[in-house]
Amino acid sequence: MNRKCLIKNMTDQVKEAQLKLGYAPETVRLYYPVASLNEILGTSARNAQEMLTLLNGDFEEKTELGKLKFSSHAERIEISIPPEGAKWVHEHVETPAFLKELIELFQTKHACTLEEICEIFKKYDPEYICEKMPAGSDFDYAIHFHNAEHDEYYYCIHMEMGHTIYHRFTEADYLALL
């Protein structure tokens, strides 16, 4: 089981939330489909109960995010990160410049354009990739870096009624959308 990948994914999500909402020393709850956790962990649990058994067995010890708690809700796994984990991310995880700039764009300009979003990607890597999503998709565009060293996530953009939003996915979860 690849614990490091899951810790990194959770840390990335907590950091993103802190950039959007600010830091608060409180419990953070993240929800994962079993298929996403299988991809991240390199496991093959067939359902939420099997995944819970794997997680509870492998995460008995405290992590840098504190003592994690696991439960299932409608075939998704809830991972509860205690306040000490939120504090650890706030104090020890560097703010990614790219993500900070992207979030600031969305916070200051509710109807930002695709061109403005792409300018931020281009600033960090001129070889970023922007693709139109297939018809019937929940999103209009998907943007990611050619070189995952800049940022490994896929940013799916949706523009509707004067608002532009993004959702961030791992590559595997993005491919599952298609």
Side-chain angles (χ1 to χ4, degrees):
M1 180 179 289
N2 195 338
R3 291 169 44 107
K4 282 184 179 183
C5 283
L6 181 56
I7 295 291
K8 182 188 180 318
N9 184 277
M10 292 186 298
T11 300
D12 289 351
Q13 286 193 58
V14 171
K15 192 63 173 182
E16 180 188 23
Q18 290 177 351
L19 283 169
K20 288 179 176 178
L21 306 170
Y23 163 68
E26 60 191 19
T27 299
V28 176
R29 290 175 179 81
L30 302 175
Y31 297 86
Y32 292 87
V34 172
S36 294
L37 285 174
N38 276 330
E39 186 68 34
I40 292 167
L41 293 167
T43 56
S44 56
R46 291 174 289 171
N47 55 47
Q49 192 56 52
E50 282 187 20
M51 182 56 73
L52 283 176
T53 301
L54 290 171
L55 291 168
N56 283 316
D58 211 59
F59 284 89
E60 289 183 80
E61 302 296 319
K62 194 173 182 181
T63 70
E64 56 263 54
L65 297 175
K67 179 68 175 131
L68 304 174
K69 293 183 182 173
F70 306 97
S71 58
S72 69
H73 300 277
E75 284 301 305
R76 291 186 312 156
I77 302 297
E78 175 189 302
I79 303 177
S80 294
I81 302 168
E84 68 185 272
K87 182 178 180 183
W88 185 86
V89 170
H90 177 68
E91 292 177 350
H92 295 96
V93 176
E94 188 175 327
T95 298
F98 160 75
L99 186 58
K100 181 178 187 226
E101 195 170 336
L102 185 68
I103 288 171
E104 286 173 352
L105 173 65
F106 278 86
Q107 287 176 331
T108 58
K109 197 163 186 189
H110 294 289
C112 56
T113 65
L114 180 63
E115 292 76 22
E116 291 168 319
I117 297 165
C118 288
E119 277 302 312
I120 294 173
F121 276 83
K122 184 177 182 179
K123 179 178 173 181
Y124 291 88
D125 182 358
E127 295 186 35
Y128 73 93
I129 298 163
C130 178
E131 301 170 319
K132 186 146 181 61
M133 295 290 288
S137 169
D138 290 339
F139 300 100
D140 302 310
Y141 297 93
I143 310 173
H144 64 97
F145 288 110
H146 178 71
N147 181 349
E149 286 180 20
H150 298 293
D151 185 289
E152 66 191 75
Y153 295 97
Y154 283 62
Y155 292 80
C156 293
I157 310 297
H158 181 65
M159 299 166 177
E160 183 177 66
M161 298 172 55
H163 293 286
T164 306
I165 61 166
Y166 82 85
H167 286 279
R168 186 169 83 157
F169 296 95
T170 63
E171 181 179 13
D173 285 340
Y174 167 72
L175 293 173
L177 285 175
L178 301 178

